[in-house]
Amino acid sequence: PLTAGPTPFLPTFTSRSSLARARRLPAPPPHPSSSSSSSSAEVDAELYYHRNGMTGEYVPAALEQLNLQDVKVHDPLVGRTTGVGLFILRRNGDGDGDAGGSGASGGRTATVLVAHRTLQSPTAEAWETAMLGTLEGLAANGPPSRDAHARWWRSFWDRSYVHVPSQPRVSAQHARQRYVQVTQSRGSYPIKFNGQLFTANRAPRQDYRDWGGQNWWQNVRMPYVNMLMAGDAEELQSSLLRFFARNVPFAVQRAKAYYGMKGDAAVFTEYTSLIGATHVQSYGCGRGGKTSPPIGWSGDRWNGYNTQGTLELALFILDHFFYTEDVAALAELAPIVRGVLSYYAQVWPTLDAHGKMVMYPTQGLETWQCPGYPPRPDNCCTNDTPTIAGLDAVTAAALRAAELLRTAGRPLIFDADDV
């Protein structure tokens, strides 16, 4: 029988993790598909999980060092528990045959149901109760239909394909890549760019990742670039776009705290954590409570002024609408587009002699930098090409979306004032 201890297929947990003891549960009634009229049953549940041991000190400390201590944000780490539950149902029949279908009288059958769940819970026991409820529901109602599972995958592969008869390896690699993408993009968080779910490092660094735990936009965007063309708009929306949409309130508060911006202006940096913040090392360690340099300045020479990724994020959203014509999704994600355009309308108030915006200080992605404070014209970019190209593309796409909505008689999500 399974035991609630380390097994070859489970990771070695840290001292802050827990393993649940086996739970004895009441046996559910036989499933309607069972032909047994008289049988005894034994039911066990095995629960294995990891629970964050932190008590809420990390996020407030990070925000204080970022001079964002007054920003209101949900802490997604406290009490976060993730694990699996195994429901083992053993039945002693009276003629149903053994598990192999031999028909021998007095056969013994076993059913194992497996479920995974991640939950923020006040206690480990609360997670156990929720998982046991999930398992009991599976036992009472039967497992999900294998036919439904197969239908979903058939519909997925029918969305698009690449077939190169003279180069079958190209076709196979494209299929493998889409499989890797879809298996990681139906949750609440972006595909992790540095190793994804499938790290392959040697012990003792099995899950170590260079560049840390944040989402670096220039990298995290890569698995998503082909999704619209492949017909995988649902996966793009669910894991990447909704992740940033959830963090818009933080991005708006940051724009107000750092730059005194008005309205719904929102800004995301190159690095984005689970709460929407950059990491302290990039910002500059030991700056909490200090106002010189200004709190809106980042000490990271590679990405201190690099906010161009927000323009590409906005374009992802608008392209999603053009491919899907999903007005509800556009309405859900529109605060990002409006917030980004509002940020760029306010970040550089200086106009040149022709009344045009002077984009300074800025940088050209990570390559053409603007190191040190205060910025100097001889050491910084002015009117960098990525920002000009991004603003041109996003404003044109937003106006196009507004026109499509207007001609279709739908509620306006964007109008000329937004753009």
Side-chain angles (χ1 to χ4, degrees):
L2 294 172
T3 58
T7 66
F9 57 85
L10 289 173
T12 301
F13 293 115
T14 68
S15 60
R16 287 188 170 186
S17 306
S18 301
L19 290 176
R21 293 187 177 91
R23 292 284 188 92
R24 180 73 65 178
L25 300 176
H31 192 268
S33 63
S34 172
S35 61
S36 175
S37 58
S38 61
S39 63
S40 61
E42 298 175 356
V43 183
D44 287 302
E46 305 285 346
L47 308 181
Y48 302 85
Y49 59 87
H50 169 87
R51 179 174 173 82
N52 285 349
M54 55 188 62
T55 58
E57 70 277 6
Y58 172 76
V59 168
L63 292 176
E64 183 178 355
Q65 289 300 308
L66 294 169
N67 287 301
L68 294 171
Q69 61 275 5
D70 295 329
V71 169
K72 307 300 181 185
V73 64
H74 169 70
D75 187 339
L77 302 177
V78 174
R80 191 172 186 84
T81 309
T82 186
V84 295
L86 295 90
F87 191 105
I88 307 101
L89 171 62
R90 303 179 183 89
R91 290 191 184 276
N92 296 312
D94 60 353
D96 289 330
D98 59 17
S102 65
S105 177
R108 181 177 175 84
T109 63
T111 300
V112 179
L113 303 175
V114 182
H116 170 272
R117 186 158 190 173
T118 297
L119 184 70
Q120 275 192 276
S121 57
T123 63
E125 290 74 20
W127 180 89
E128 291 184 9
T129 299
M131 176 56 83
L132 290 172
T134 299
L135 292 170
E136 288 175 323
L138 284 173
N141 302 314
S145 166
R146 183 176 178 84
D147 289 341
H149 173 81
R151 283 196 301 272
W152 190 93
W153 279 106
R154 280 196 297 270
S155 68
F156 170 76
W157 293 118
D158 284 344
R159 293 179 191 172
S160 67
Y161 60 89
V162 170
H163 180 54
V164 185
S166 62
Q167 296 290 334
R169 186 174 179 181
V170 172
S171 306
Q173 288 296 91
H174 178 263
R176 291 189 187 103
Q177 180 63 28
R178 281 192 70 211
Y179 175 81
V180 168
Q181 290 174 331
V182 75
T183 55
Q184 300 177 83
S185 58
R186 295 179 61 78
S188 300
Y189 296 96
I191 297 172
K192 196 72 182 77
F193 75 91
N194 47 344
Q196 304 188 28
L197 289 179
F198 310 110
T199 53
N201 299 317
R202 296 179 178 179
R205 308 175 84 192
Q206 293 94 323
D207 198 40
Y208 177 80
R209 299 162 187 269
D210 285 331
W211 299 289
Q214 305 236 351
N215 297 289
W216 295 39
W217 174 257
Q218 291 183 67
N219 301 287
V220 76
R221 63 180 175 160
M222 292 300 183
Y224 294 94
V225 170
N226 71 310
M227 283 192 176
L228 288 174
M229 289 167 280
D232 301 334
E234 178 183 353
E235 286 70 28
L236 169 64
Q237 178 184 353
S238 62
S239 62
L240 183 72
L241 303 184
R242 281 183 174 151
F243 166 74
F244 282 97
R246 288 197 305 273
N247 285 311
V248 164
F250 176 88
V252 171
Q253 292 179 81
R254 174 168 51 190
K256 294 181 188 298
Y258 277 179
Y259 312 113
M261 291 189 173
K262 300 177 182 179
D264 56 2
V267 58
F268 291 103
T269 60
E270 169 67 13
Y271 323 111
T272 304
S273 68
L274 298 185
I275 63 171
T278 189
H279 54 74
V280 174
Q281 185 178 4
S282 166
Y283 178 75
C285 295
R287 291 184 59 195
K290 299 177 181 179
T291 58
S292 181
I295 63 172
W297 178 80
S298 171
D300 178 10
R301 65 175 295 162
W302 289 273
N303 287 297
Y305 293 96
N306 179 8
T307 57
Q308 294 98 340
T310 58
L311 291 167
E312 190 170 19
L313 172 63
L315 197 58
F316 264 131
I317 292 168
L318 294 164
D319 282 343
H320 182 278
F321 172 64
F322 297 143
Y323 271 83
T324 65
E325 298 183 349
D326 189 336
V327 177
L330 181 61
E332 175 188 356
L333 302 169
I336 295 178
V337 181
R338 285 196 296 264
V340 169
L341 290 174
S342 181
Y343 166 79
Y344 277 100
Q346 298 180 59
V347 67
W348 295 301
T350 301
L351 303 179
D352 64 14
H354 303 286
K356 293 189 176 183
M357 180 189 300
V358 179
M359 300 175 184
Y360 174 86
T362 185
Q363 66 183 85
L365 300 178
E366 293 188 20
T367 306
W368 297 100
Q369 302 165 355
C370 184
Y373 187 84
R376 305 194 324 265
D378 64 337
N379 201 31
C380 276
C381 292
T382 300
N383 299 333
D384 65 286
T385 300
T387 298
I388 294 173
L391 282 171
D392 183 66
V394 173
T395 52
L399 288 171
R400 177 187 169 199
E403 179 62 18
L404 289 173
L405 292 168
R406 187 190 65 79
T407 55
R410 306 299 295 269
L412 288 181
I413 298 172
F414 303 108
D415 57 32
D417 291 337
D418 293 320
V419 181

